[in-house]
Amino acid sequence: MFFSTEVYKKRRETLVNNMPKDSALILPSWPETKRSWDVEWPYRPSSDLIYLTGFEESQACLIILSNSKNILFVQNKNPKKEIWTGPTYGPEQAAEIFQIDTCYFSSDFSHIAPEILKNTQSIYYAFNINQIWDTQLNQLIQTLKNKNRIFISLHDPTRLMAPLRMKKSKEEIQCIKKAVAISSEAHITIMKHCREDINERELYGLFLSEIMKKGANAEAYPGIFASGPNACILHYTDNTRLMKRGDLLLVDAGAEYKYYASDITRTFPINGKFTKIQKKLYTKLLKIQKQMIKFLKPGLSFNDIQNKLIKLLTVLMKEENILSGSIEEIIETKKYAKYFPHTFGHLLGLDVHDPTFSETHNIQLEEEFVLTMEPGLYLPPDDLSLKPEMRGLGFRIEDDILITKTGSEVLSHAVPKEVEELEALISTGLNKT
Ligand code: GLY
Ligand code: MN
Ligand code: MN
């Protein structure tokens, strides 16, 4: 548990205030996943469960009723398993430590839950995340229908959780700032160690080592160390290419601290000098990224932001003869998406892509939102419509931004992004060997 039990209690109270009468939120823990035969992936708890309780164990399920009762089902005690994976709480300890009204073993869910939910008319539960709990829920809903002969409406829990999680509290902002600070130092280390004839994975390993040394529990998402044409693959995670003189390297990597994410991207020349065309396109993209950050303030909608970015990128593409036609036509027909297929960014928090919810499907920025701004330009190596010197170049520049009362604060400002700064920093590293 990273915050006091009071913090979690307050969050649960706020949640209950937003719940309709006779409803229940049912949140199972994230599933455990196998990596290969007899080997599990390291377990990452559910962000919603962490947000509301701080409880990190798997095989659990939290129920919060609109009358404010909280019930937590926790994994069964298994002394043999505990020899291998360490102690688990069990219901008494979990209730006391996490200040939950009542705790039971998960194996008792099927006979206890129908009684707990006997007056419930609407359930907030997300199917297709944890199949074991999906089976339990299907049975539960059937039992409730048969027993009480009532219609139970099913709703997406994001409707309740996202509005709480979108605005970050002081303690959450501290955690994100720490995650960003850890990542920032690691990005700088990567720049200093960058050189030709080393493999992408060597830098990836260095990044992991650096963030863990500084207190990160993990990376927030699989790091992208994409050199040369790999930068055109948006979520390239093979990280296996030998880097060559003249390559750009796109590093999109972020630490997770107390389960809070950071998400930073920089693109730079591995041998410390941008080529003429690399410099020209990078400088234009950087100008756009800075313009977009300046634009951010409370009240802007996601659509406003995306539309402005698309306009700026389309102008760039037209100026550089990457696309032809009128600006209006390129935007109307979405031709720009061939070279910029994603959005301006996303909210950042316990998840690297933090959940959003708005009735209008168009989120409006508010003070204490944290988001990324990450324009990119990806020019595929096999695109014969491009000038030869442009083929295979990929750029993305991504910063983490806190929305303030009047504008924004760039949390990841410590990672260089100006051409001269990048060239100087990489060269410092090169001169040391
Ligand atoms: N690193 C994933 C993203 O930028 O959204
Ligand atoms: Mn991102
Ligand atoms: Mn990213």
Side-chain angles (χ1 to χ4, degrees):
M1 195 172 4
F2 293 116
F3 307 124
S4 72
T5 49
E6 278 313 305
V7 167
Y8 297 107
K9 242 181 172 167
K10 250 212 167 110
R11 290 177 181 175
R12 296 198 293 271
E13 279 165 19
T14 313
L15 169 89
V16 165
N17 289 338
N18 297 335
M19 288 174 72
K21 198 169 168 287
D22 298 327
S23 65
L25 171 67
I26 304 185
L27 287 178
S29 56
W30 207 252
E32 292 159 308
T33 319
K34 282 242 182 270
R35 179 182 185 275
S36 60
W37 183 251
D38 222 18
V39 177
E40 304 275 340
W41 283 109
Y43 185 67
R44 167 50 160 85
S46 138
S47 299
D48 283 341
L49 208 53
I50 285 289
Y51 182 84
L52 291 174
T53 63
F55 190 72
E56 295 168 84
E57 279 181 12
S58 61
Q59 300 169 32
C61 186
L62 176 71
I63 301 182
I64 298 189
L65 300 177
S66 52
N67 68 8
S68 88
K69 281 263 167 308
N70 329 153
I71 304 100
L72 182 64
F73 291 84
V74 301
Q75 62 178 267
N76 288 21
K77 290 296 267 182
N78 180 344
K80 268 196 190 147
K81 187 177 165 238
E82 289 186 26
I83 293 173
W84 293 93
T85 49
T88 54
Y89 289 107
E92 288 84 18
Q93 263 197 3
E96 193 187 324
I97 295 173
F98 295 89
Q99 292 286 296
I100 304 289
D101 297 331
T102 322
C103 292
Y104 301 100
F105 282 123
S106 293
S107 55
D108 291 328
F109 185 89
S110 60
H111 67 270
I112 292 177
E115 183 56 26
I116 292 171
L117 295 162
K118 64 176 187 238
N119 296 321
T120 299
Q121 304 204 3
S122 43
I123 289 180
Y124 290 80
Y125 177 83
F127 276 97
N128 300 318
I129 294 176
N130 188 329
Q131 285 180 359
I132 294 170
W133 285 99
D134 284 358
T135 310
Q136 296 262 30
L137 256 289
N138 274 321
Q139 279 169 6
L140 170 72
I141 292 168
Q142 209 47 53
T143 310
L144 291 174
K145 273 185 189 161
N146 294 344
K147 219 166 144 179
N148 307 341
R149 308 219 161 271
I150 53 165
F151 176 75
I152 306 231
S153 59
L154 192 64
H155 304 274
D156 182 353
T158 312
R159 291 180 82 93
L160 293 175
M161 293 305 301
L164 296 186
R165 286 178 48 190
M166 283 177 359
K167 215 174 163 91
K168 305 300 186 284
S169 66
K170 276 203 174 62
E171 64 267 3
E172 290 185 288
I173 291 170
Q174 283 314 317
C175 289
I176 296 173
K177 282 187 172 173
K178 178 74 181 175
V180 170
I182 292 171
S183 304
S184 301
E185 285 189 45
H187 270 269
I188 291 170
T189 303
I190 294 302
M191 288 168 186
K192 288 184 187 160
H193 280 77
C194 198
R195 65 208 58 236
E196 62 194 88
D197 293 329
I198 62 168
N199 198 287
E200 294 163 347
R201 80 169 78 89
E202 186 174 330
L203 295 179
Y204 181 36
L206 180 60
F207 184 85
L208 292 177
S209 162
E210 289 296 299
I211 62 168
M212 296 212 182
K213 205 155 71 185
K214 302 271 161 51
N217 51 296
E219 51 180 348
Y221 54 91
I224 297 165
F225 287 72
S227 65
N230 290 338
C232 298
I233 305 168
L234 297 182
H235 279 180
Y236 168 82
T237 51
D238 284 356
N239 301 345
T240 50
R241 181 175 173 273
L242 193 69
M243 305 194 302
K244 286 284 162 208
R245 171 161 284 268
D247 282 347
L248 288 174
L249 176 67
L250 182 157
V251 177
D252 181 349
E256 185 177 81
Y257 178 75
K258 295 187 178 178
Y259 297 121
Y260 283 86
S262 53
D263 182 7
I264 302 172
T265 308
R266 290 292 184 265
T267 310
F268 47 86
I270 63 148
N271 52 304
K273 194 85 193 140
F274 284 93
T275 64
K276 203 166 158 210
I277 184 70
Q278 289 169 352
K279 186 170 172 174
K280 190 171 174 211
L281 295 175
Y282 180 86
T283 306
K284 287 195 171 190
L285 186 67
L286 179 61
K287 190 172 165 209
I288 290 175
Q289 200 242 11
K290 291 198 281 191
Q291 247 175 297
M292 289 305 301
I293 292 174
K294 258 206 183 129
F295 179 60
L296 297 176
K297 60 173 191 220
L300 280 180
S301 73
F302 273 28
N303 287 350
D304 296 335
I305 303 169
Q306 183 69 6
N307 291 341
K308 182 171 172 83
L309 178 58
I310 293 302
K311 178 95 191 275
L312 292 172
L313 286 173
T314 302
V315 171
L316 183 164
M317 291 177 205
K318 206 172 137 49
E319 277 174 5
E320 292 304 321
N321 293 315
I322 293 168
L323 286 174
S324 56
S326 73
I327 300 289
E328 293 71 29
E329 188 242 343
I330 295 170
I331 293 175
E332 182 72 22
T333 55
K334 294 192 174 19
K335 277 190 190 152
Y336 61 81
K338 189 172 172 195
Y339 305 110
F340 178 66
H342 57 83
T343 59
F344 70 86
H346 46 86
L347 296 188
L348 188 68
L350 283 167
D351 287 295
V352 64
H353 294 175
D354 230 25
T356 52
F357 179 78
S358 114
E359 292 292 350
T360 61
H361 301 288
N362 188 14
I363 315 297
Q364 289 214 320
L365 293 187
E366 292 179 37
E367 199 184 344
E368 288 151 359
F369 276 21
V370 179
L371 73 157
T372 65
M373 176 51 68
E374 48 181 302
L377 182 65
Y378 313 95
L379 305 168
D382 55 355
D383 187 334
L384 300 181
S385 71
L386 296 168
K387 285 185 206 148
E389 72 266 29
M390 285 188 182
R391 294 178 203 158
L393 296 180
F395 307 84
R396 179 160 66 253
I397 309 168
E398 176 175 29
D399 279 304
D400 300 341
I401 320 275
L402 169 67
I403 299 299
T404 60
K405 198 175 263 165
T406 52
S408 73
E409 178 188 339
V410 183
L411 303 180
S412 44
H413 63 88
V415 194
K417 59 183 176 184
E418 299 296 332
V419 166
E420 302 72 27
E421 287 177 313
L422 289 169
E423 291 189 340
L425 191 61
I426 297 157
S427 302
T428 328
L430 291 175
N431 292 336
K432 277 202 194 124
T433 49

